[in-house]
Amino acid sequence: MSTSPSAAQAPAPWPPLRTERLLLRPVRGGDVPAVTRLWTDPDVRRHLGGPVTAPVIRIRQRRIVGAPGFHAVVRAEDGVLLGLVTVEDGGRDGETEVSYQFLPEHWGHGYAREAVGAAVARVLETAPSVVAVTQEANHRSRRLLEAVGLEHVESFVEWDAHQVLYRRRRDSRAA
């Protein structure tokens, strides 16, 4: 998922969010190595502009621990970090934007769908809508967004790539 370079702000911290198999909670110091892998893994970053550079990683490592809006997704049974779900208020056109990244060894198990679906539901408890953006070529991400009830509403070019904007309004039903 790509995130807008706008002046988006992270929302107030959520209490931990539990699903059947997962826990979404603030990022902790012990999570930094796995989160750093998210930023540097070429497969994870394929549709996100490529791996992040070392100077940017150092800045992110200092800022991510406990940062509002960043939610470590951990498997409830063993605490293994699977990925991140990020929620930004005031993203695209003032709407709340959800993005996510998961480590490749955890792809294909439904974890991202479960975590993103829970995050979207949490956002829609208070926000009128939620949006997500992904590259048009990221077919897996597009299917996930549609599976959690977001609808494709716009296509555009940004960051030299074709992007798609998805949205779900509070009054719409989940798939």
Side-chain angles (χ1 to χ4, degrees), residues 73-160:
V73 179
V74 298
R75 201 167 33 217
E77 70 184 45
D78 59 11
V80 170
L81 188 133
L82 309 174
L84 285 177
V85 171
T86 305
V87 178
E88 293 181 296
D89 283 340
R92 294 186 179 271
D93 298 324
E95 292 182 275
T96 301
E97 185 171 351
V98 172
S99 62
Y100 51 93
Q101 302 173 57
F102 280 74
L103 292 166
E105 63 267 26
H106 304 299
W107 295 355
H109 301 283
Y111 294 132
R113 180 179 177 172
E114 188 174 331
V116 173
V120 165
R122 173 71 59 92
V123 167
L124 292 174
E125 289 174 3
T126 57
S129 63
V130 62
V131 296
V133 176
T134 192
Q135 283 190 7
E136 187 176 279
N138 192 345
H139 300 290
R140 292 179 81 163
S141 185
R142 294 182 70 187
R143 284 192 305 270
L144 182 149
L145 294 171
E146 291 166 3
V148 300
L150 280 80
E151 296 179 356
H152 175 215
V153 294
E154 183 182 352
S155 297
F156 55 94
V157 175
E158 183 177 68
W159 308 106
D160 297 322

Side-chain angles (χ1 to χ4, degrees), residues 17-34:
L17 175 59
R18 293 187 184 275
T19 69
E20 183 178 333
R21 301 180 295 166
L22 307 174
L23 172 65
L24 282 72
R25 58 156 174 76
V27 176
R28 298 175 183 160
D31 300 330
V32 172

Side-chain angles (χ1 to χ4, degrees), residues 31-46:
D31 300 330
V32 172
V35 172
T36 300
R37 278 193 55 219
L38 287 168
W39 298 328
T40 58
D41 186 287
D43 290 328
V44 173
R45 302 292 304 172
R46 178 178 300 128

